[in-house]
Amino acid sequence: MAALLKQAPRDLERERFLADALAGLRQAHKTLPCKYFYDAEGSKLFDQICALPEYYPTRTELGILRAHAAEMAQHLGPETLLVEYGSGSSVKTRLLLDRLARPAAYVPVDISREHLLAAALALRLDYPGLEILPVCADFTAPVALPKPRRAAARRAVYFPGSTIGNFSEAGAVALMAGVARQVGPGGAFLVGVDLAKDPRVLERAYDDAAGVTAAFNLNLLARMNRELDADFDLRRFRHRAVWAPGASRIEMHLVSEVEQVVHLDGVELRFERGESICTEHSHKYTLAGFARLARRAGLAVRRVWTDPAERFSVQYLEAPARL
Ligand code: AVI
């Protein structure tokens, strides 16, 4: 019985992955959802991307946090219930937690149970006085928050890493409207937002010389081979990252080098030579553009911190006192 209980979510996950993959690959312009990058192999490759010389977002955001975490904590205020979306290893959060005044509790929310529990355990050892309430969930759907032992003065959602850039504009607005509901009147949203810049810098950041981002992108095909009975030949696809100026985003693609047929769970998929699968959008905002987007979700940008070159921003937003 225990084995069955353990097995059920895996099967469900496979069914969802298969349905999403087939839906995307049957479209005239083939796509795959970028959330499927992050299996164990993809997460390892993503950690390597974060340390690449070309991939500026991680170290720039960390620099901003190191310089301004005290001021960010002041904005969040004392006795805050801090909820983190897509918490992963919670590295950036520690910089905030070290400075927050008497946080009511910390609620890391992540879809990956193993990652979440390992990070929560490590945090419990380092912050023995802090109540940590991990929630294994997809934060793009409404998340029911656990009740902390101590009443919170307010709620705040922390969403670092510029993952908001991986959503469509409509998706980002919907996510932020959900945050506004989650934190309630007067609640806060602290978010990492990558900024528009020289396209050459951007294209290098998403197509590094060591080929780590290419391996990360191609791993999506390898993952379908492993989990969905697919037979993608990785040598017949190549990684491409391109700046789309009209949409202000980097697009990642897997381009078919030849005309070919691939099978996925018994379904035949045809590729023309040069035809691509779009695997990710990474939107880059101007400060004014992001403020407009936030307003559409009912949130107001109150404070923005950037690095001196204005490559990246961490933004503090508030929900109105009465929603
Ligand atoms: C997770 N996300 C913010 C990364 C980005 O920059 O859009 C994912 C990534 N894709 C390629 N490199 C990094």
Side-chain angles (χ1 to χ4, degrees):
M1 184 63 181
L4 271 181
L5 284 174
K6 262 191 198 150
Q7 203 51 40
R10 280 255 158 79
D11 290 347
L12 204 67
E13 266 169 37
R14 184 189 186 276
E15 287 314 304
R16 270 196 208 121
F17 184 18
L18 179 62
D20 287 347
L22 283 176
L25 294 173
R26 279 172 163 156
Q27 289 178 59
H29 294 285
K30 294 182 171 64
T31 63
L32 284 169
C34 61
K35 65 178 175 184
Y36 293 112
F37 279 140
Y38 304 94
D39 66 343
E41 181 60 20
S43 300
K44 228 187 287 165
L45 288 164
F46 182 64
D47 285 347
Q48 288 175 28
I49 288 176
C50 291
L52 287 170
E54 296 96 330
Y55 193 73
Y56 62 86
T58 310
R59 61 172 179 282
T60 311
E61 184 176 28
L62 274 168
I64 297 169
L65 284 165
R66 284 196 189 100
H68 303 289
E71 206 191 324
M72 291 172 195
Q74 258 172 23
H75 278 74
L76 294 172
E79 286 156 13
T80 289
L81 175 79
L82 188 70
V83 181
E84 182 172 354
Y85 284 179
S87 49
S89 54
S90 302
V91 173
K92 291 166 190 154
T93 328
R94 287 167 180 262
L95 292 166
L96 270 185
L97 289 176
D98 288 343
R99 287 157 185 91
L100 271 181
R102 306 179 305 283
Y106 170 57
V107 182
V109 181
D110 204 292
I111 192 85
S112 158
R113 188 174 294 273
E114 281 127 62
H115 236 86
L116 180 72
L117 296 181
L121 193 68
L123 280 170
R124 278 197 185 112
L125 294 175
D126 293 340
Y127 298 85
L130 176 66
E131 190 179 11
I132 298 172
L133 300 164
V135 173
C136 184
D138 176 357
F139 59 79
T140 58
V143 180
L145 292 184
K147 209 169 171 258
R149 278 194 299 270
R150 272 176 40 217
R154 79 193 298 219
R155 286 175 175 185
V157 167
Y158 181 40
F159 191 31
S162 81
T163 305
I164 195 140
N166 297 133
F167 289 75
S168 65
E169 285 209 351
V173 171
L175 178 96
M176 287 196 278
V179 168
R181 283 191 296 275
Q182 181 87 267
V183 297
F189 184 39
L190 189 67
V191 58
V193 182
D194 197 10
L195 301 176
K197 59 187 62 64
D198 184 339
R200 284 168 302 183
V201 173
L202 286 166
E203 287 185 350
R204 275 198 296 269
Y206 290 83
D207 193 5
D208 60 281
V212 183
T213 312
F216 173 71
N217 201 6
L218 284 159
N219 177 58
L220 201 45
L221 303 183
R223 182 177 179 185
M224 288 189 287
N225 289 350
R226 286 191 294 268
E227 297 180 23
L228 302 181
D229 301 308
D231 59 1
F232 285 95
D233 181 345
L234 272 58
R235 294 163 305 184
R236 293 177 154 202
F237 286 87
R238 84 183 145 79
H239 165 70
R240 180 164 181 255
V242 64
W243 173 245
S248 194
R249 69 189 180 209
I250 281 282
E251 294 184 1
M252 292 215 312
H253 294 263
L254 289 163
V255 185
S256 178
E257 298 269 50
V258 291
E259 191 184 323
Q260 58 182 317
V261 174
V262 177
H263 301 92
L264 178 72
D265 199 51
V267 177
E268 212 175 79
L269 298 162
R270 294 184 173 280
F271 287 85
E272 298 298 326
R273 179 161 178 255
E275 186 179 357
S276 82
I277 310 171
C278 183
T279 52
E280 185 180 64
H281 290 161
S282 196
H283 292 86
K284 309 299 169 186
Y285 289 102
T286 61
L287 294 179
F290 190 75
R292 274 196 300 275
L293 206 68
R295 264 200 304 277
R296 281 168 55 194
L299 290 170
V301 177
R302 298 280 186 228
R303 180 77 168 91
V304 175
W305 296 271
T306 69
D307 56 301
E310 297 204 345
R311 289 183 148 201
F312 197 94
S313 66
V314 179
Q315 308 203 15
Y316 171 81
L317 290 76
E318 276 180 356
R322 253 177 293 147
L323 282 180

